[in-house]
Structures are given as structure tokens and as C-alpha cells.
Amino acid sequence: MGTRGRPPPHHRPGLGPPSPPPRRTGPTPPRRRPQRWTADRPDDGDALTLRAFVESHRTAATDRAAVRRAEHACLRAAEACPEDPTPWLALLSLMDTCAVPVKDAVPVWTEAVDRAPWLRTSYHRLLRYLSPRAHGTVPDMMDFAWQAAARAPHGSPLALLPVAARVELMAHRQGSTPVDALGSGGGNWNEPRSVHEIDLALKGWFDVGIAPHAEAVTDLNTLAFALTRAHRPAEAAPVFVRLGRHMTRHPWDLLPEPQRAFTYWRERSTHA
């Protein structure tokens, strides 16, 4: 997944030919405030980026006209804010919604990474794209996570990416098969590579003590979940201490009784 040359501002990978932007008529409802902001300030980069983000996340793949509008919004924002990765991540989300093949999505991801080389969001966004539950395969997803974690700076939350990939692998394998709330649940959590992944997350990120980032609670839940699946309560204890009661829905929703499992492991770990 090496860096490729940047496409020109109006190149549209994988989504077909462009269509003109919509024309606003009548009063603007509250849900369309980003459009109103860009109408009032058509050259404002922040307004264009917000509109791109909102449209890319609201657009349904079946509405081809809306897809074209959202794509146009992303590319306008990218042109207005050439150093900002956000418009490219918005475009990647739109491509995900439209099930664009991975080979066409990777250059868009590269555009975001070129602008912010170690932005956590970029890597987790592509990890989801590469998931077998989305548009990729297990080998592609795991290989990407391992390579990213190996190259990331010491202390980066990207050290946790292989663990996040293994959680996704568990979700993929689990399907509709019930799992034991206290069991491994299909993630192969005790195999040697999994042990190494968890060790890397602990030593390369958690133990470093870097100031919390925006998604720290999400990452701490992922790490705590992995440690409980691997039955490592002593190492899970400081993770749960840092988490407190801040449970996120995922990945605990992979278990039959998420709240019960979280509470059980938090109490078992911190009182061991």
C-alpha cells in the first residue's frame, strides 16, 4: 500500500462521472445547516469540510444523485483545504458506503495519510474497510494492522491496531453463533501471535503513559476486552482502573450480556 501520486482535485476514483452540485431553493431546514453555511460562505474551508463530512455520512448508496453531491462536496473541501486529511476521510467513508473496491479506496486513504501520517482515525477507517465484513479479507486486514503497528512511533495508539483487527476478526467469525460471555468467542486470543499483539499494545502504547487522545476510551475498552478474552486479569487491572465505568458499546456487544461481562471482568481484575 505504498503512496501513490495524488489525483488532480476533480479526479473521482471509483464513483463514476461527476454531477453538478444541487441548487438551494426555499428555506433551509436545521438538518441542512452545513449547506446553508457553505451557501453563505462558499469559499470557507471549514464550512466546506463540515458539509463534506455530513453529506458523506448521511448519503445512502442507493441514492446516486446524493452520492454525486456528496462526492462533489468532498472534492471541493479537499481543494479548499489542501493540507487537511478530513475531506479525504469523508470521501473514504462515502466509498465504503458505496462498496467501492479496496484497490480504488487505497489511493484516497493515502491522500489522508500523506497529510497526517499517524492520524489514528485514518488507520481505523481503512481497517474497517479491509474487514471481511466490509470489502476486504482476513489476511489483508491483519497484514495491514501488523505493518501499521510496526511502523508507528513509540507511544502511538496505533500499537493497538492489531488488537482492534483481532476484535474485528472475532466479530466476523462469530456471526450468529452464540458465545460464552466468559470464553474467547472465536478470536484465537491465546495463540502466539495474539499474545504478541496484546504485549505490543501494552508496551508500545498503554505503559508509555502518553496523554489521552480523543478516542482513548474506545482504545482502552478494546484493550481491556482483549485482555479478558486472553484471561489476563492481572494485566487488565490497570486498564480497568484507567477506564473506570466508561464502558463503550463495542466490543462488549460481541458478548451475550455486555454490561454483565464488563462489570464481571472489571471487578475480577481490580480485586484480584
Side-chain angles (χ1 to χ4, degrees):
M1 296 184 182
T3 300
R4 305 185 187 183
R6 289 180 177 161
H10 298 291
H11 175 66
R12 294 162 168 82
L15 292 175
S19 63
R23 295 167 62 183
R24 184 167 74 91
T25 58
T28 303
R31 68 180 298 272
R32 298 189 62 192
R33 284 172 183 165
Q35 290 90 328
R36 183 172 63 191
W37 190 13
T38 52
D40 293 340
R41 304 173 65 180
D43 299 319
D44 186 282
D46 290 338
L48 291 169
T49 298
L50 176 61
R51 178 171 180 176
F53 180 85
V54 170
E55 292 202 11
S56 68
H57 284 77
R58 286 181 176 173
T59 299
T62 53
D63 189 341
R64 301 310 297 173
V67 168
R68 299 285 178 254
R69 291 194 297 269
E71 184 185 19
H72 177 83
C74 291
L75 293 166
R76 276 194 69 197
E79 192 172 11
C81 302
E83 302 305 318
D84 191 347
T86 307
W88 296 102
L89 293 175
L91 181 56
L92 188 64
S93 292
L94 180 65
M95 297 173 83
D96 187 3
T97 298
C98 297
V100 173
V102 170
K103 65 181 178 62
D104 295 319
V106 169
V108 173
W109 174 80
T110 301
E111 292 291 336
V113 173
D114 282 350
R115 290 159 173 79
W118 301 113
L119 181 64
R120 177 196 178 280
T121 303
S122 300
Y123 290 83
H124 280 264
R125 194 72 54 84
L126 187 61
L127 185 74
R128 288 197 299 270
Y129 211 109
L130 293 172
S131 168
R133 297 200 298 165
H135 320 295
T137 65
V138 170
D140 285 347
M141 177 181 70
M142 301 305 294
D143 185 61
F144 168 71
W146 294 330
Q147 289 190 37
R151 295 173 182 172
H154 186 60
S156 168
L158 293 180
L160 189 70
L161 201 64
V163 177
R166 193 163 292 274
V167 169
E168 182 62 23
L169 176 62
M170 176 178 171
H172 166 62
R173 288 177 173 172
Q174 179 177 313
S176 59
T177 304
V179 297
D180 179 355
L182 306 183
S184 66
N188 293 345
W189 293 101
N190 294 305
E191 68 179 21
R193 187 177 284 275
S194 174
V195 172
H196 174 71
E197 292 164 357
I198 294 174
D199 288 344
L200 175 63
L202 287 168
K203 296 173 184 175
W205 172 61
F206 182 79
D207 292 344
V208 176
I210 300 291
H213 57 281
E215 298 294 332
V217 170
T218 298
D219 286 347
L220 287 169
N221 271 271
T222 298
L223 181 56
F225 180 86
L227 288 164
T228 64
R229 297 306 89 202
H231 292 270
R232 296 166 64 169
E235 291 162 292
V239 180
F240 277 112
V241 168
R242 194 177 298 182
L243 256 181
R245 298 182 179 273
H246 299 293
M247 171 190 166
T248 55
R249 182 185 63 84
H250 186 72
W252 303 98
D253 59 355
L254 295 175
L255 305 178
E257 298 182 76
Q259 183 66 58
R260 174 180 172 271
F262 177 85
T263 302
Y264 169 86
W265 283 107
R266 186 187 67 208
E267 293 179 354
R268 175 180 169 179
S269 300
T270 55
H271 293 93

